[in-house]
Structure formats: C-alpha cells, structure tokens
Amino acid sequence: MRYYVLTLFPEMVEQGLKTSILGRAQSQGLISLKAVNIRDFSENKHGHVDDYPYGGGAGMVMQPGPVYRACEAVEAEIGHGARVIYMTPQGRVFDQNMAKELAKEEELIFLCGHYEGIDERVLEQKVTDCVSIGDYVLTGGELPAMVMIDCISRLVPGVLNNDQSAEIESFHDNLLEYPQYTRPEEFMGMRVPEVLLSGHHANIERWRREESIRRTLERRPDLLPDAHLTDREREYLDGLQKG
Ligand code: ADE
C-alpha cells in the first residue's frame, strides 16, 4: 500500500506514523508514506496558499491552484487513477468496513484541509471520497488521515504478525474484545478469572465469547444485531437481556 498525503503539515504526518508497527511496516516496505507539502505548489511569491472567502465570513479558504497542482503531481507519479480522499466532517463516517474496502487499493491519496476548508472547485475536480472520522470538528484533516492510515495498514498482509491478525476477526463479528489479564495472578485483592488459569482451551474460548457478548450488550448494544452468534450464544444473550 502506498499512501500519499497532501497537507500543509507534512512533518506532523510523517512523525506521527513512523513509530511502532507502522514504522516497522514502512521499513519492511509493506506500506509507504509520502507527505506532500501543498505549499510547495504555491505560485505566490510569499508561498501563500489561502485567501479570504468570496462573499465574506470568518477565516481563510485554501486556494484551488496549489491543491490541484499537488494532486496532479502525485497522480503523475502514481501513473494511473487513484482514489482521492478528502478529510472533512461532512463526509461519510469511517468504520471498519470502509477500512476493509480501502485496504484493497494499491495507492490512496489523502487530502487534508485547514482553515475554513478548501475551494469547492478543486474538490469537484479531484475528490473521489469525502470521509469523516466522527461527528466532531478538528482543526485539520491530518489527524483524521493518520487515523485512517493506521486502521487500513493493520489490514495490509504482513503488517501485523499472524497471532495479531486473528484478532481482526473479532470485530468482523461485530463484538467487542473480551477482557485481558496478565501476571500477577492477584492484584490489589482481585484475582484473574479462574477459567483462564485452567488450561482448558474450549472453556477459555467459551468464556471469552460470552464476555465479548456481555460487554457488547453493556457498551455497544447497537452492534449486536449484526453480530454472528451461534444458537448457544444467542441463548446466552437472551439470558443476559432477561436477567
Ligand atoms: N476535519 C476536521 N474535522 C474532521 C473530522 N471529524 N473528520 C475528518 N476530517 C475532519
């Protein structure tokens, strides 16, 4: 997967994605990231990329020219069409299913706005997808693009080790993760659930599924209608709901 991020703050994106799992994935060549500074495509002698909004109003608007040229440069480098994702609170809300879809692409171009947004004309010309990371407003599109890159990258084969990959499946089931414990066996008088010490794999698996179901019911009941449950698990859920 090759990511291109069009931004006024390339260091923010590069620095934020170079540690831990994504840093390693970049060194291994499983993903690559190029942060392109939109300011480099300004034709203004001061390097300005924004101006006052026509019609008046607060704030500044990013001009279409630099964004257009930055996008053209990246598209020329890629050599074929690629999705251009504009980060905006007005977009479709990002979720795991969208991440799965986007992970199939070879390249993704993220466009990050600042100030009061970007001139609509370049958005009409270049953007294929408008995406929001949630119903709240941030100061720019960089953090949202980084959130998406993190989430999509863990679905790229090899980025997580095989052990971790299995964990992805649990979200496909629309269930929240079960609680985890490690040593010591007792902490401030609280013991690790006995079943986890038993070595009985079938019982552990069953306990974990039940904890996932209980947790999802308590914290995210909206996920349950699309959860994949066995008949026995459905009975367990019915029991909790009646209880
Ligand atoms: N830019 C500002 N807020 C945003 C959000 N919630 N999602 C995507 N882009 C944004």
Side-chain angles (χ1 to χ4, degrees):
M1 174 68 78
R2 298 199 286 163
Y3 301 108
Y4 295 84
V5 183
L6 309 180
T7 169
L8 291 174
F9 303 98
E11 326 74 50
M12 175 180 178
V13 178
E14 282 162 358
Q15 295 292 325
L17 295 173
K18 76 174 195 196
T19 41
S20 187
I21 294 174
L22 296 196
R24 196 183 60 210
Q26 286 184 70
S27 326
Q28 292 176 328
L30 297 168
I31 62 171
S32 71
L33 170 71
K34 185 164 180 179
V36 174
N37 195 340
I38 295 169
R39 199 175 299 283
D40 293 345
F41 295 85
S42 164
E43 286 177 347
N44 179 295
K45 66 173 184 280
H46 305 290
H48 289 169
V49 292
D50 60 324
D51 210 329
Y52 296 99
Y54 277 119
M60 302 290 269
V61 177
M62 284 171 68
Q63 295 173 290
V67 172
Y68 186 86
R69 290 186 291 275
C71 199
E72 288 268 292
V74 165
E75 286 169 338
E77 182 173 327
I78 293 173
H80 55 84
R83 287 166 89 158
V84 177
I85 301 169
Y86 176 44
M87 305 311 311
T88 166
Q90 298 180 7
R92 200 173 126 209
V93 178
F94 184 59
D95 64 10
Q96 194 69 29
N97 285 329
M98 199 193 297
K100 227 175 101 185
E101 275 307 304
L102 292 172
K104 295 176 189 159
E105 302 285 331
E106 295 287 317
E107 296 91 9
L108 289 171
I109 304 173
F110 292 89
L111 172 58
C112 305
H114 255 266
Y115 314 116
E116 294 308 306
I118 301 182
D119 187 291
E120 192 68 20
R121 292 165 295 180
V122 67
L123 300 178
E124 278 173 21
Q125 282 293 312
K126 289 295 183 190
V127 170
T128 60
D129 304 74
C130 290
V131 181
S132 165
I133 61 159
D135 288 339
Y136 42 82
V137 182
L138 301 168
T139 56
E142 285 75 14
L143 286 170
M146 289 158 73
V147 164
M148 287 185 64
I149 290 169
D150 187 294
C151 182
I152 294 164
S153 296
R154 63 193 289 290
L155 304 177
V156 170
V159 169
L160 299 186
N161 64 41
N162 287 339
D163 250 24
Q164 294 166 313
S165 306
E167 295 293 315
I168 297 166
E169 297 306 319
S170 70
F171 215 105
H172 288 175
D173 272 358
N174 259 43
L175 292 177
L176 301 184
E177 206 51 66
Y178 50 79
Q180 297 276 15
Y181 300 87
T182 186
R183 286 194 281 189
E185 257 180 58
E186 188 173 319
F187 173 69
M188 297 178 77
M190 295 176 284
R191 286 191 54 75
V192 170
E194 284 307 316
V195 61
L196 299 179
L197 311 175
S198 68
H200 191 303
H201 293 297
N203 285 353
I204 291 171
E205 204 39 50
R206 177 177 165 154
W207 179 86
R208 285 179 164 169
R209 285 285 297 182
E210 290 179 354
E211 286 298 306
S212 284
I213 294 166
R214 178 203 302 280
R215 236 177 211 204
T216 310
L217 177 64
E218 279 170 11
R219 299 181 185 183
R220 289 294 307 276
D222 57 300
L223 295 176
L224 281 172
D226 291 323
H228 301 126
L229 302 182
T230 64
D231 290 347
R232 204 196 56 72
E233 288 170 348
R234 197 147 291 286
E235 272 172 40
Y236 176 75
L237 173 61
D238 289 344
L240 291 178
Q241 282 168 322
K242 282 182 193 126

